[in-house]
Each structure stands twice: as structure tokens, then as C-alpha cells.
Amino acid sequence: MFYRPAAVVASLAALVAIGSSYTAPSAVASEIKTENLSVRFGVRLQSRIDIPAAVDNAAGDSVGLDGGAEEYDFDMYMRRIRLAIRGTYMEDTNYNLTLSADNLGRNGDGDFTETVRSNDRMDPTVRYAWVSHRIKSGDLTHTIKFGLDKPWFVSSDTDSSSRTLFPNGRPLGGQFAGDRTVGLSYRLSAPMVNFGADIMPARNDSRNLQITARAETSLQEEWKMRRTESMLGKEGFGHVLGVEVGTRTESETDDDGWFQFGIDYNVHWNNITANIDLIVRNQETAGDSQTQFGFTAQAGYAIPLDTGHVVEPALRIGFFDYDEEGDIGLATREDVDSGIQVDAGVNYYINGHNNKFQFAISHWSADEGDAQKTVLRLQHQLNF
């Protein structure tokens, strides 16, 4: 399938016009404070256009990016709509309630009816809802958290979607992420290392468990940094090494348990910010044991301008082997399957990650069969 140049130009122009009408947001969310309570409000809006340049299934037939038989020239939707209410109570107790209506207006699995595009995904859902309490002891901080959250596991999934280098996040966060359910978490923050463990009912089924653990270190205090996919050209050096293990028990109705190991490295040096992710999983599938593997490496080179804005070209490559037999089916939307994916793009930061444009071209091809996709994506983010 080949896209129509006129439609592409019109789509890109529309999103640029929308984004350029925003003024730069403040660096922090609105906040209300009393003697014992703080309440912060935050909003994240990501306007997205997907342009499927060429999408084929395993048989080599052209299909839609959502896997439906009908092809389409572009898809305009709101990838992220988030409203967050966060804060602190009595200094050491924190909370987070975040509502989302992500993917509003996105093409609905091959159905192009007005009902699907206009009304589906309209109802907000609870994305996060938790309360935590921290206990300080010298240089150590212990934090206990209970509620709905992601496990601190697989950094490509837990890293905020507001700070990604590409419009589509690091691919391993889709296949290897843990279940996001209501559970209990523990964190230890120390000068040289951070450690965390989570225990949750897998798939929201209290008969099953998911147990994960992760540790991060920067080796020296002066090298510590917050994980991010871009430091926007800030001078200096920092890095974070992460190691994690996790397991999920088999469900009562299927053999789908797994054991997983991962290692990741986030490094920043002046204009360059890079991420490397490696994950290996032993997956039970219908009684068969599979060894699944994924590796990605990416980097961006941020160029600060005299205006205070930043331009950043970026490149990523990923290799995936999910131990499948026969032809590989199409990995729809942002997903990947066994094969290779290459992404190239450029970011334009108006006010850091709070107000930015991202443009990228992504190409994935399957290990076996003719499935492949080439997608252009343009996204604007307003985050405050």
C-alpha cells in the first residue's frame, strides 16, 4: 500500500497547526497546599497522526495497521489523555490518582463506523490509584506502597511515556512488561543503589501471583541521574544500570507462567542520551516451554538552539525472537514480533518534554513470512 502525498501533507500540517497554538506550559503542575496536605494536578495530552506507508500480513497481502482488511491513509487520534491528582499528606505519605482516556478517536480494529471512532474509548478509566508511606533511617529510605500501579520492572514499560525519544516507546515494554494490577510494593533508596520488589495477583486473579524485583545503581554519587530517554543536551555525565528478575505463576485455566531476566543501561554524556535493553523470558504456552529474547539500542543527539529550543535526531534498532514456528503474523500498531525493527526520527523541544514535537519513521519485518510494516508518526505533547 502506498500513501497519498496530499493526504500526508494535510495530516502533518493539521497537527503542526494544533501544536503551535499551545503556549509553553509551566514547569510544574498546579498545586494546592495546606499545613499537612499538598495536592498537585497534572495533564498529559499527546496528539498523534499515524501514517501506514506499507503494511503486509504474513501472506504478503496489504492490510490496515490495526490488522483489519481495510487499508487507510492515516489515523488521527489522542494517544494520551491523562489527568493526574498527586500529592503528599503529613510529609511521608504520598498518593496518586490518575485517570486516562488513551487512544481517543483511533481506528477501531478494522471497523470504520462512526460509532467506533466517536464513542468507543470515551469513558475514562483508572490508570493509577495508590498510597505509599516512607520511613527514613539515616541514608536509607524505605517505602511501602499499596494500590494500582505498574510493577517496578522492565524499564521500557515503567519509564514515563512523556519522556520517550520516539513517539512509539521502546518495544520491549509491550511483550515483556509485567501485569499491572492492585498489589504491594517495597522500595529501598540508598546512596549507591535503589532496590524494589512487587507482589501482585497476576491478571487480577488472586489465585495467581506475579513477583518481581529490580535493582539500579550509578556506581558513584556524582553519576546519579533520573532515568530518561533524553537529557536535552545538558552538559555532564550520568548513567543508570538496572538488573531485574521476575516470575508469574501459571493461571488456573492455562499454561502461561513465565520467568524473566533483564538488564538495561541508560547513559548520558553532554549531547548524547542512550538506552540499551536486553530481556530473556522462559514462557509457558499451552504446555510448551519457549525461550523469548529481545534487544534494543537507541540514542539521540540533542542540539540546543539560541532560542532555548532543542533539536534532537534519534536512531534505534531492535532484534526480537519469540521462539515461534512458521510464518510470523503482523505485529499491529506499535507492537513487535519476531524480527527486526529500525526507527529513525527527530524531536523538536519547545519547552523540554513538557511541549515537544516528535516525528519518526519505523520499519518492522518478520523473521519468517512476508509480514512487515513501515509507519510514519507525528506527535505533539503538552505535559504539565
Side-chain angles (χ1 to χ4, degrees):
M1 180 184 82
F2 296 96
Y3 54 88
R4 302 170 187 168
V8 173
V9 172
S11 302
L12 299 182
L15 188 54
V16 170
I18 292 170
S20 62
S21 67
Y22 295 135
T23 56
S26 59
V28 297
S30 300
E31 185 172 12
I32 300 173
K33 278 189 175 183
T34 66
E35 182 178 357
N36 296 320
L37 177 69
S38 72
V39 182
R40 300 189 303 276
F41 299 93
V43 171
R44 181 177 306 159
L45 297 174
Q46 291 179 354
S47 315
R48 166 76 74 82
I49 298 176
D50 291 344
I51 304 169
V55 182
D56 300 326
N57 61 20
D61 300 325
S62 295
V63 295
L65 184 57
D66 54 13
E70 291 191 67
E71 306 171 27
Y72 51 87
D73 294 320
F74 60 89
D75 192 5
M76 290 183 173
Y77 60 100
M78 298 299 296
R79 180 174 181 256
R80 290 286 184 269
I81 301 177
R82 302 275 176 92
L83 172 63
I85 305 172
R86 310 183 187 95
T88 303
Y89 177 71
M90 297 292 289
E91 186 176 352
D92 289 320
T93 298
N94 294 287
Y95 62 89
N96 181 352
L97 173 60
T98 299
L99 304 179
S100 73
D102 293 351
N103 299 317
L104 179 66
R106 190 177 71 180
N107 284 338
D109 298 327
D111 189 340
F112 292 90
T113 65
E114 181 180 354
T115 300
V116 170
R117 290 192 61 82
S118 299
N119 299 329
D120 195 27
R121 309 180 186 90
M122 286 290 287
D123 296 330
T125 61
V126 177
R127 182 68 179 176
Y128 304 111
W130 53 258
V131 176
S132 70
H133 186 78
R134 63 186 179 188
I135 303 170
K136 295 182 179 180
S137 176
D139 292 336
L140 305 181
T141 300
H142 307 269
T143 303
I144 302 294
K145 179 173 63 178
F146 185 83
L148 175 62
D149 198 3
K150 296 177 180 179
W152 193 46
F153 182 64
V154 184
S155 63
S156 50
D157 179 57
T158 57
D159 287 352
S160 174
S161 63
S162 68
R163 301 173 68 84
T164 56
L165 189 62
F166 292 89
N168 49 321
R170 308 206 309 278
L172 298 186
Q175 176 71 9
F176 295 106
D179 297 338
R180 184 176 60 89
T181 67
V182 174
L184 184 65
S185 303
Y186 167 75
R187 302 285 185 275
L188 170 66
S189 177
M192 297 299 295
V193 67
N194 292 324
F195 172 80
D198 297 82
I199 181 168
M200 298 178 172
R203 315 168 207 79
N204 284 310
D205 186 340
S206 60
R207 297 171 297 177
N208 305 281
L209 287 178
Q210 174 183 273
I211 302 171
T212 61
R214 175 177 172 85
E216 289 183 350
T217 181
S218 297
L219 300 180
Q220 295 189 31
E221 188 73 22
E222 62 267 28
W223 293 342
K224 290 184 71 172
M225 60 175 273
R226 174 188 177 185
R227 280 198 55 87
T228 182
E229 296 190 20
S230 176
M231 289 287 280
L232 308 173
K234 178 182 177 181
E235 292 187 0
F237 173 80
H239 67 162
V240 182
L241 175 68
V243 179
E244 60 198 16
V245 294
T247 187
R248 184 177 76 178
T249 61
E250 297 179 359
S251 73
E252 298 294 320
T253 58
D254 196 6
D255 297 324
D256 62 352
W258 48 256
F259 177 83
Q260 180 170 308
F261 169 80
I263 184 169
D264 52 76
Y265 184 58
N266 182 201
V267 60
H268 163 71
W269 181 53
N270 295 332
N271 300 81
I272 299 172
T273 307
N275 274 274
I276 298 174
D277 298 272
L278 170 65
I279 295 178
V280 179
R281 171 185 283 187
N282 182 264
Q283 170 83 51
E284 294 295 327
T285 303
D288 295 328
S289 179
Q290 296 178 320
T291 299
Q292 302 178 345
F293 165 86
F295 170 83
T296 64
Q298 68 178 44
Y301 188 89
I303 307 169
L305 306 178
D306 293 339
T307 59
H309 299 176
V310 177
V311 174
E312 182 180 40
L315 183 66
R316 175 169 65 205
I317 187 168
F319 303 91
F320 315 96
D321 184 354
Y322 297 159
D323 200 9
E324 299 160 289
E325 296 182 359
D327 291 347
I328 305 301
L330 172 66
T332 60
R333 304 197 190 279
E334 296 184 24
D335 292 339
V336 296
D337 209 319
S338 297
I340 298 175
Q341 179 163 303
V342 178
D343 300 90
V346 61
N347 302 320
Y348 184 73
Y349 301 91
I350 300 172
N351 184 27
H353 291 285
N354 288 328
N355 191 356
K356 65 180 180 180
F357 286 95
Q358 297 181 283
F359 175 75
I361 301 173
S362 177
H363 176 75
W364 169 84
S365 60
D367 272 348
E368 300 289 341
D370 296 324
Q372 61 92 29
K373 61 180 177 181
T374 299
V375 186
L376 288 70
R377 296 183 174 93
L378 178 63
Q379 178 172 290
H380 173 262
Q381 173 173 280
L382 180 69
N383 189 68
F384 61 89

